[in-house]
Amino acid sequence: DPEAQVYTPAPEGPQKRLPSPWQKWDNHQEITRNWASMELPGPWEEQGLPDFDGVLFFYKTFQLARLPQQARIHLGRIDDSSFPFVNGTFLQENRDDPQKLIDYVIPLNALQRGTNYVLVRVEDHGGPGGMLGPAEEMYIEADGRRIPLSGEWKYYIREKFGRSINSSELLSGRELAARFAAFNSLNPLEKISGGEEVVSDPHAIRLELKVIKNEMKYDQNELVVQAGKAVEIHFSNTDLMQHNLLILAPGSLEKVGLAADAMAMEPDGQEKQYIPDMPEVLHASGLLDPGKTFVLRFTAPKKPGNYPFVCTFPGHWRSMNGLLKVVQSSGV
Ligand SMILES: [Cu+2]
């Protein structure tokens, strides 16, 4: 996990290894005790970090008297790229779109009664960086009630970039990244089969798979098919956020899951639909928006065994997985 590497110390803070932001920090108040603070919104250049380009973690707590039925987070505009977590649950990245007003659904199982925390990893390569507001667009929305997120935040310097990149270099860098992504994504995208049109192969084994709303889980944890048979998984995203569906080689769940988490911090992770380019990924759908259905068509492996199926949206794989059981073909 790249985030578990040694961190540079926060101003006046002790040098410590930060735990991974992908985990829930039970002792988050302890971890952030010596972090510096900043009044937000506002560019960090105007708040004690002149000419700073790099990566900061911002941290703030909020209170919930009871668990809401619906929750969203609004973070205003963030320059350049942002990766927000609520109690260790990753929400969504926004890369290099500082004009976007950030507004994401918070999965309800990420929340708890009492103290909750927001952690936002912000990366800036030039110009004003940080959480730029406006203040009235920074809040938690819980059942229609607003809990403001403007005001004092704590921060931690994760990384300082050695030099400022001027805008023309940045543009060409982005161009290169986009070209690299297009080239590099050919392999995983070739594995994406089927489409949104629901035309069934009458000879295929037809399976239905849905998502349990707000729980980051599929509605089934076991699917059974016969070895070597044609299979159609009609996958419906019945949740409020994006998910995908991958079929993996036996025993590779953790390896592929960790690779997918790492993709969240790569410039082209989202473009690649968070599908790691590795031989353990046998079949994959792209990211499915809420309300969409996708038919994943493939021939079941000839070798019987337990083949994990999983969502590789970063952070989801730990709970959003199951087993495709491939059994000996009967009656052949
Ligand atoms: Cu998912």
Side-chain angles (χ1 to χ4, degrees):
D1 178 352
E3 293 307 320
Q5 302 306 311
V6 177
Y7 286 66
T8 51
E12 294 158 42
Q15 177 129 27
K16 256 190 188 173
R17 225 175 126 91
L18 258 204
S20 163
W22 295 91
Q23 297 161 3
K24 184 175 174 185
W25 296 353
D26 288 323
N27 55 339
H28 55 95
Q29 276 152 329
E30 174 70 24
I31 292 168
T32 57
R33 176 159 302 152
N34 292 313
W35 291 18
S37 29
M38 198 183 276
E39 204 66 27
L40 294 178
W44 61 46
E45 278 85 351
E46 292 170 14
Q47 305 209 57
L49 296 174
D51 300 324
F52 179 86
D53 290 323
V55 179
L56 254 64
F57 276 106
F58 285 103
Y59 162 89
K60 190 173 180 64
T61 59
F62 63 94
Q63 302 293 323
L64 288 175
R66 57 184 172 78
L67 284 177
Q69 309 268 297
Q70 284 185 332
R72 305 185 72 89
I73 188 166
H74 299 253
L75 291 169
R77 297 187 176 91
I78 301 182
D79 199 337
D80 286 321
S81 301
S82 55
F83 304 84
F85 299 81
V86 171
N87 297 329
T89 295
F90 174 65
L91 300 179
Q92 211 173 305
E93 70 174 89
N94 178 37
R95 197 170 280 278
D96 298 333
D97 186 2
Q99 290 309 311
K100 181 189 160 105
L101 276 175
I102 289 175
D103 167 15
Y104 301 136
V105 168
I106 306 175
L108 295 183
N109 62 352
L111 295 170
Q112 59 192 25
R113 275 176 57 186
T115 306
N116 296 260
Y117 70 94
V118 183
L119 194 69
V120 188
R121 182 190 194 272
V122 180
E123 188 175 325
D124 182 43
H125 290 268
M131 300 176 63
L132 305 183
E136 61 273 19
E137 293 295 341
M138 296 174 67
Y139 57 97
I140 298 283
E141 187 183 339
D143 291 341
R145 201 167 56 91
R146 288 186 177 205
I147 304 165
L149 289 178
S150 56
E152 190 187 351
W153 285 64
K154 289 190 158 186
Y155 73 92
Y156 185 91
I157 298 175
R158 165 69 178 81
E159 193 180 339
K160 186 182 187 339
F161 296 143
R163 60 183 187 99
S164 285
I165 301 170
N166 69 41
S167 57
S168 65
E169 281 178 281
L170 189 61
L171 192 68
S172 70
R174 277 181 201 162
E175 238 168 53
L176 277 175
R179 278 179 203 167
F180 177 76
F183 172 74
N184 216 30
S185 63
L186 285 176
N187 276 339
L189 290 178
E190 273 171 11
K191 292 173 184 161
I192 296 175
S193 55
E196 273 186 34
E197 87 287 7
V198 182
V199 182
S200 282
D201 170 358
H203 303 292
I205 300 168
R206 183 192 159 116
L207 301 167
E208 305 270 349
L209 189 66
K210 295 186 170 65
V211 183
I212 303 176
K213 205 178 269 185
N214 279 318
E215 285 194 21
M216 241 185 258
K217 277 182 181 157
Y218 296 113
D219 69 339
Q220 293 165 82
N221 45 34
E222 201 178 295
L223 299 170
V224 182
V225 296
Q226 275 93 42
K229 290 277 175 77
V231 178
E232 281 184 359
I233 301 180
H234 292 241
F235 170 48
S236 300
N237 184 0
T238 42
D239 197 14
L240 304 171
M241 59 189 303
Q242 288 188 319
H243 298 287
N244 64 12
L245 173 66
L246 276 66
I247 311 288
L248 309 181
S252 65
L253 177 65
E254 185 172 2
K255 182 180 175 188
V256 175
L258 291 173
D261 284 356
M263 287 179 87
M265 302 300 169
E266 289 167 12
D268 52 359
Q270 203 170 33
E271 280 173 83
K272 290 180 178 174
Q273 321 273 301
Y274 303 117
I275 301 170
D277 185 9
M278 50 206 315
E280 285 84 355
V281 177
L282 305 179
H283 306 283
S285 80
L287 284 173
L288 230 64
D289 285 330
K292 299 282 182 188
T293 294
F294 182 90
V295 182
L296 186 64
R297 296 187 172 89
F298 58 94
T299 304
K302 290 193 181 101
K303 200 177 167 200
N306 292 334
Y307 293 74
F309 62 88
V310 64
C311 170
T312 55
F313 189 99
H316 291 196
W317 66 274
R318 284 184 174 83
S319 61
M320 200 162 175
N321 66 69
L323 285 179
L324 177 74
K325 299 205 161 183
V326 177
V327 297
Q328 205 63 258
S329 203
S330 56
V332 179

